Amino acid sequence: MSANFTPREIVSELDRYIIGQADAKRAVSIAMRNRWRRQHVESSLRDEIAPKNIIMIGPTGVGKTEIARRLARLAGAPFIKVEATKFTEVGYVGKDVESMIRELADLAVKMVREEETAKVRVRAAEHAEEQVIELLLNGRGPQLARQAGASAEASNTELAATLRTLLRQGKLDDEMVELPTAAPSGMPPQVEVLTPGGFEDMGLQLKEMFSQFMPQGRKPRRVQVPEALRMLTEDEAGKLIDMDGVRQRAVELTEQQGIIFLDEIDKIANAGQRSGGPDVSREGVQRDILPIVEGSTVMTKHGIVRTDHILFVAAGAFHVSKPSDLIPELQGRFPIRVELLALTRSDFSRILSEPENSLVRQYEALLATEGVRLHFAPDGLDAICDIAVLINEQTENIGARRLHTVMERVLEEISFVAPERGGQEFIVDRKYVETRLAEVVKNRDLSRYVL
């Protein structure tokens, strides 16, 4: 299932959306390619090749999370992003570290199930069609078939053939059928072992446990034919899929190709302090994460998952702390460290217009839905960049995220009146930008709240 991209292809794909940060792109591209290489190594050596986990170090807003998001789309493998700050030490109320493995396994099951569903969708659709025709025959179907040209003496088989033709032509889309429905079965609930500190998941687990004993009644529901086809197709696909096989494949996929992006890891570093208070919990979280990264077994509702070959990509700003403030054992499990550079004025200019999902394209497309033509003059973009850099220097430096706040403020008036100005063109030049932001930029205290 994992995508087969070369490192150069991965970097090229990331370049379409992320400006700069070549070192980080190379590191994650090599790590992804090594996942593919390991699968082609002889089995006797394959289990000995451990993933080379990565720490990305850099200030906020320089592209760490965006690299993770784009990597997820390229991976073609189970990939989740979690924040280290969400975890608490075992014994405290909060999310336990093993929950990230359970979430990864859940995602893998969803991926494999969707893949298997695609394989049986044609058969499922045929079965669903037969059921809808049967429902129609028990209702207004015969009348509809005769209105379409079927003879009064037509047999049920002939009526069904006429209805099938009408159904495929979309001429029955407005008809209603009575569909017996129940809570979707999908995956039969299984009791999951509760771990200390895993209170966040307890509600879901209890619901699953009680659902085994509570009868699920089937209540009739009137829906239109297209909705009935969709619901019945999903139901039939679920019957055709071997869920035991799905779970088995998903566990293997999680173990062999799973990737976890562990964000804000700097927030659980001790910053060189060994005092009591919150730092004790931070170090406790690190010690709880350590066996997961080193390789351990985690019980999930889909089976036991070994974490030995899951790839971990961690990231943090490390403003106050530094990677060496992590416990030594955890440091050793992240052998690759890459630094993401702070963004320059030139980077801001490129971010605004070069990526395929640039802010300029986004706002132009949004306002085009109202019939408004939005045009950014080059000097207008320069003014936006200048102000974003200035605000970052005067207040907190939040990197490229500052462009979002500045752009939103600049276009606030246009966005408000757009529904009433369909067919008009607005040009955002330097004069317009400076007029919209003059008061905010002059008042440093106000800019802290507004921009």
Side-chain angles (χ1 to χ4, degrees):
M1 184 180 291
S2 182
N4 179 18
F5 290 106
T6 67
R8 195 177 302 278
E9 289 171 339
I10 295 169
V11 170
S12 177
E13 186 67 19
L14 294 175
D15 283 341
R16 295 171 55 196
Y17 301 98
I18 303 161
I19 298 299
Q21 313 302 356
D23 290 344
K25 291 174 183 175
R26 285 173 64 91
V28 298
S29 68
I30 292 170
M32 271 191 65
R33 185 63 176 183
N34 279 339
R35 310 290 281 168
W36 178 85
R37 291 167 178 159
R38 179 178 167 273
Q39 298 300 318
H40 293 78
V41 172
E42 59 184 26
S43 57
S44 60
L45 187 59
R46 187 181 305 154
D47 288 343
E48 304 299 325
I49 300 176
K52 303 301 185 289
N53 299 320
I54 303 169
I55 289 185
M56 293 194 292
I57 305 164
T60 184
V62 298
K64 302 187 298 295
T65 304
E66 188 65 16
I67 288 175
R69 288 180 60 238
R70 297 300 164 183
L71 195 64
R73 299 187 182 185
L74 288 173
F79 184 112
I80 62 167
K81 174 183 176 292
V82 296
E83 286 76 34
T85 52
K86 298 292 179 66
F87 301 125
T88 58
E89 186 178 358
V90 169
Y92 290 84
V93 175
K95 202 169 188 177
D96 67 289
V97 296
E98 291 187 351
S99 65
M100 60 183 170
I101 305 300
R102 293 193 288 268
E103 290 173 15
L104 191 66
D106 289 343
L107 178 61
V109 168
K110 181 175 181 290
M111 292 174 62
V112 176
R113 189 169 188 270
E114 288 176 351
E115 182 184 349
E116 293 300 313
T117 299
K119 295 178 181 177
V120 301
R121 187 165 293 279
V122 173
R123 287 170 56 198
E126 291 174 352
H127 293 176
E129 184 180 79
E130 294 298 327
Q131 292 184 53
V132 168
I133 290 172
E134 184 176 345
L135 291 171
L136 287 168
L137 285 173
N138 294 331
R140 294 184 65 237
Q143 177 185 350
L144 294 169
R146 293 187 183 100
Q147 289 175 358
S151 65
E153 297 80 17
S155 64
N156 274 352
T157 302
E158 293 170 327
L159 291 174
T162 302
L163 288 174
R164 182 175 289 104
T165 301
L166 294 173
L167 182 65
R168 292 177 179 177
Q169 291 175 348
K171 294 181 179 179
L172 300 179
D173 287 354
D174 294 331
E175 293 298 317
M176 304 290 290
V177 293
E178 194 169 273
L179 195 64
T181 60
S185 55
M187 294 170 288
Q190 297 183 16
V191 177
E192 179 175 348
V193 176
L194 291 175
T195 56
F199 300 107
E200 184 169 313
D201 299 324
M202 185 176 293
L204 176 61
Q205 294 160 350
L206 288 174
K207 182 179 179 181
E208 291 177 347
M209 292 168 62
F210 283 120
S211 67
Q212 297 179 83
F213 307 105
M214 300 294 290
Q216 298 184 4
R218 299 180 66 86
K219 298 181 180 180
R221 175 185 173 190
R222 287 183 62 80
V223 296
Q224 287 186 310
V225 165
E227 178 66 7
L229 282 170
R230 186 193 65 79
M231 294 172 65
L232 289 171
T233 299
E234 293 296 325
D235 190 44
E236 288 299 314
K239 296 176 183 177
L240 293 171
I241 293 173
D242 175 15
M243 283 308 300
D244 289 335
V246 166
R247 279 188 282 270
Q248 184 176 350
R249 278 189 58 200
V251 167
E252 182 180 357
L253 190 66
T254 303
E255 293 178 339
Q256 302 301 322
Q257 299 180 28
I259 303 173
I260 293 179
F261 182 79
L262 190 59
D263 203 5
E264 297 182 351
I265 195 171
D266 57 314
K267 303 299 191 300
I268 61 170
N270 280 337
Q273 302 174 10
R274 297 296 174 188
S275 60
D279 289 336
V280 175
S281 182
R282 290 176 188 169
E283 186 167 319
V285 172
Q286 293 182 57
R287 295 197 180 280
D288 288 346
I289 289 177
L290 179 61
I292 304 293
V293 179
E294 282 183 329
S296 60
T297 56
V298 176
M299 178 67 70
T300 75
K301 60 187 176 186
H302 310 297
I304 296 176
V305 175
R306 294 177 55 212
T307 68
D308 302 67
H309 298 289
I310 293 175
L311 174 66
F312 289 85
V313 181
F318 290 99
H319 286 312
V320 178
S321 59
K322 50 188 182 295
S324 58
D325 290 326
L326 296 169
I327 60 174
E329 299 91 337
L330 191 59
Q331 291 180 49
R333 289 295 168 175
F334 288 87
I336 301 176
R337 298 180 185 179
V338 291
E339 184 175 0
L340 283 80
L341 305 176
L343 299 174
T344 64
R345 164 67 175 72
S346 174
D347 291 331
F348 274 26
S349 180
R350 295 179 60 196
I351 288 170
L352 273 182
S353 55
E354 287 187 18
E356 293 192 8
N357 63 334
S358 69
L359 284 177
V360 168
R361 290 188 175 94
Q362 290 180 31
Y363 279 104
E364 288 175 346
L366 282 172
L367 292 176
T369 62
E370 305 275 11
V372 171
R373 298 187 303 277
L374 184 64
H375 176 68
F376 289 87
D379 63 340
L381 294 178
D382 289 341
I384 291 172
C385 291
D386 292 339
I387 291 172
V389 170
L390 178 64
I391 300 299
N392 271 349
E393 290 173 351
Q394 292 180 346
T395 61
E396 187 72 21
N397 187 347
I398 59 172
R401 293 189 178 95
R402 186 72 67 188
L403 291 172
H404 291 261
T405 58
V406 173
M407 286 280 279
E408 195 64 32
R409 184 73 178 184
V410 167
L411 299 175
E412 182 181 40
E413 180 64 23
I414 297 175
S415 297
F416 185 80
V417 303
E420 307 153 14
R421 303 291 183 87
Q424 295 187 19
E425 180 179 17
F426 290 89
I427 298 177
V428 180
D429 55 13
R430 177 175 287 274
K431 181 180 179 181
Y432 183 85
V433 173
E434 292 176 348
T435 300
R436 291 290 305 158
L437 299 178
E439 182 182 351
V440 178
V441 173
K442 287 179 183 177
N443 189 334
R444 181 174 297 187
D445 291 334
L446 182 58
S447 69
R448 289 178 182 273
Y449 291 98
V450 176
L451 298 178

